[in-house]
Amino acid sequence: MSATSPLSARVDGRSLPMQATREAGSLLVRWFDELRTDEPFTVLDLAGGMPETIALLSDYRCRVYCADLLDNLCVPPPGTDMAVAAAVFEDRLSFIGDGVIDYCLLWDYPNYLSFDQLRLFSRILQGYLHLGSQIHMFTAMHANQDMAPWRYSVADPETLVRRPVRRAMPGHPHSQAEIVDAMEYVRLDRGALRDGRVETLLECI
Amino acid sequence: MFDKKKNQQETPVNVASVTLRDSEPVRPAQAAMGGNQGARPAVIGTTIQVSGDIVGGENLLVEGRVEGAIRLEKHDLTIGNSGQAHANLTAKLVRIEGEVVGDVVGLEKVVIASSGRVRGNITAPRVIIEDGARFKGMIDMDFEGKGAEKPAGRDTRRGNSTVEDAVSRAVS
């Protein structure tokens, strides 16, 4: 269920609401059920530090690594040499330093990467994860699915907030099977249909 | 033609350390700074540049440019809309409306206003990022605080691939 503002903007030929919209229901409930307020944990949020996510996580002892890979578009153009692409990904994640990520919010980012780029990105991301790290992302029901670009945040465990990304984003919708193929070190934990996307939880094995 | 900014003389201040003691008279807009019993903040004005450390015992509003460090452990610090701090900041409450490149420690809270832009790490028990703010870095919210420790195994990375490994495995 979603509440959408009547205001809209056209991005890449699609009409998107200009304001943030809220959506009830989220697989993240499962994460927050496991979290304890006195047990520290780490989060990587590729949507950058969005207000709702940071406000919610302020209730916990945690370290949040925020990288906005949408505004500072971290998507190498098609045909980019893989070594160059790897250097770009590594550069954008290097601020994590010696950190180890427990919970990873990838949102739609994998769907902006080609399969080969995603495999490369996931390899570099793997260096910051541990056995049992949890990954949240969206996958596509089918390869031709129209996935309008959104920037997501978490208002509460049961509510996601999304804002339109006001720029055209490359589209490479990946199915759950493709994701598991590209990210060889994960297993599918759970999926739920949401707004044409499949909200997907993965666990590092 | 009559651009006031062109007529303003910038005043660079190169010092090893500045210690703030008494507040200067402030304009009404500057008195809006919240925090310590409504105390009026000392102000580094829009044309002032400071190179060096600033240590203070009162609230501070930075509308100019600071390169160095600012430490106001028991007081509030605001980097105003036109403020630029390429510095590490420590204060009880830090509010950022301008630009900060450096690490920020808020002993009680850090707020990045909608106009704020921060590149660096933030350490504070509570962090508020307003809609529109831009942030790149790490936020530490009592992560190292006293109490329960991280469960075993969570500090061990699953893989230690080098970039070269990643490329070779991705294309294979």
Side-chain angles (χ1 to χ4, degrees):
Chain A
M1 191 172 77
S2 66
T4 306
S5 160
L7 296 173
S8 66
R10 291 195 71 77
V11 176
D12 196 22
R14 288 175 287 219
S15 182
L16 300 174
M18 293 177 68
Q19 298 174 350
T21 56
R22 287 175 177 255
E23 290 193 353
S26 157
L27 288 183
L28 295 177
V29 171
R30 180 167 176 167
W31 284 8
F32 282 90
D33 281 348
E34 293 174 356
L35 295 177
R36 291 168 46 192
T37 53
D38 62 344
E39 190 173 275
F41 60 90
T42 54
V43 178
L44 171 64
D45 184 359
L46 293 194
M50 299 302 289
E52 298 83 8
T53 306
I54 301 304
L56 177 62
L57 292 174
S58 277
D59 290 338
Y60 298 88
R61 288 183 53 200
C62 62
R63 184 172 283 168
V64 188
Y65 297 88
C66 302
D68 187 345
L69 301 191
L70 305 181
D71 259 5
N72 307 301
L73 195 59
C74 183
V75 179
T80 301
D81 181 84
M82 291 299 262
V84 173
V88 171
F89 292 139
E90 181 65 29
D91 177 62
R92 295 298 173 86
L93 295 179
S94 62
F95 77 104
I96 299 171
D98 295 330
V100 184
I101 304 299
D102 299 320
Y103 298 95
C104 196
L105 296 166
L106 298 186
W107 305 114
D108 265 339
Y109 181 65
N111 297 301
Y112 304 137
L113 303 176
S114 69
F115 182 82
D116 286 343
Q117 289 175 341
L118 174 59
R119 194 154 63 166
L120 181 60
F121 174 77
S122 71
R123 281 280 166 210
I124 293 167
L125 177 66
Q126 179 188 1
Y128 298 100
L129 304 175
H130 62 79
L131 285 173
S133 289
Q134 310 273 315
I135 299 170
H136 176 279
M137 62 174 296
F138 291 108
T139 54
M141 284 288 286
H142 53 78
N144 297 323
Q145 185 171 331
D146 179 31
M147 296 179 80
W150 297 104
R151 183 190 307 281
Y152 287 91
S153 60
V154 197
D156 63 59
E158 297 179 346
T159 309
L160 298 183
V161 177
R162 62 182 195 176
R163 296 170 174 81
V165 176
R166 290 185 179 82
R167 66 188 305 168
M169 302 294 286
H172 300 280
H174 298 295
S175 66
Q176 286 185 336
E178 280 181 316
I179 291 294
V180 173
D181 189 17
M183 305 176 78
E184 300 156 317
Y185 53 89
V186 299
R187 73 170 178 84
L188 179 63
D189 186 1
R190 191 170 291 196
L193 188 63
R194 160 187 295 282
D195 184 35
R197 293 160 157 83
V198 183
E199 188 181 3
T200 300
L201 290 184
L202 304 165
E203 181 178 357
C204 288
I205 54 175
Chain B
M1 184 174 177
F2 296 106
D3 187 349
K4 285 183 180 177
K5 285 186 179 175
K6 287 181 182 172
N7 296 327
Q8 288 175 334
Q9 296 242 329
E10 293 196 338
T11 313
V13 180
N14 293 297
V15 290
S17 177
V18 174
T19 301
L20 301 171
R21 291 196 178 85
D22 301 316
S23 297
E24 298 171 358
V26 295
R27 293 172 292 226
Q30 296 162 348
M33 188 171 169
N36 287 329
Q37 297 85 42
R40 290 182 170 186
V43 179
I44 294 177
T46 54
T47 64
I48 306 293
Q49 295 182 33
V50 178
S51 296
D53 295 348
I54 298 173
V55 181
E58 62 187 281
N59 297 343
L60 175 64
L61 168 63
V62 176
E63 291 287 8
R65 182 180 174 90
V66 175
E67 292 182 7
I70 302 176
R71 291 192 301 275
L72 312 170
E73 268 89 356
K74 295 179 179 174
H75 294 83
D76 300 345
L77 169 65
T78 297
I79 307 299
N81 247 304
S82 61
Q84 293 180 32
H86 287 228
N88 294 333
L89 314 176
T90 302
K92 192 171 82 173
L93 187 156
V94 182
R95 179 176 173 82
I96 300 164
E97 299 168 354
E99 178 187 315
V100 172
V101 178
D103 293 340
V104 181
V105 177
L107 302 177
E108 286 187 2
K109 187 163 69 174
V110 172
V111 179
I112 307 178
S114 58
S115 57
R117 301 173 303 285
V118 178
R119 188 180 181 90
N121 297 327
I122 296 174
T123 303
R126 289 202 78 80
V127 176
I128 295 173
I129 297 182
E130 296 179 357
D131 203 357
R134 297 170 74 93
F135 171 69
K136 165 87 186 282
M138 180 266 288
I139 300 174
D140 192 329
M141 293 184 278
D142 201 25
F143 184 80
E144 304 281 6
K146 294 175 183 174
E149 294 188 355
K150 246 186 143 186
R154 280 202 187 170
D155 289 331
T156 308
R157 286 183 171 180
R158 190 198 172 285
N160 285 307
S161 303
T162 62
V163 172
E164 290 75 20
D165 290 339
V167 172
S168 64
R169 295 176 71 177
V171 298
S172 63

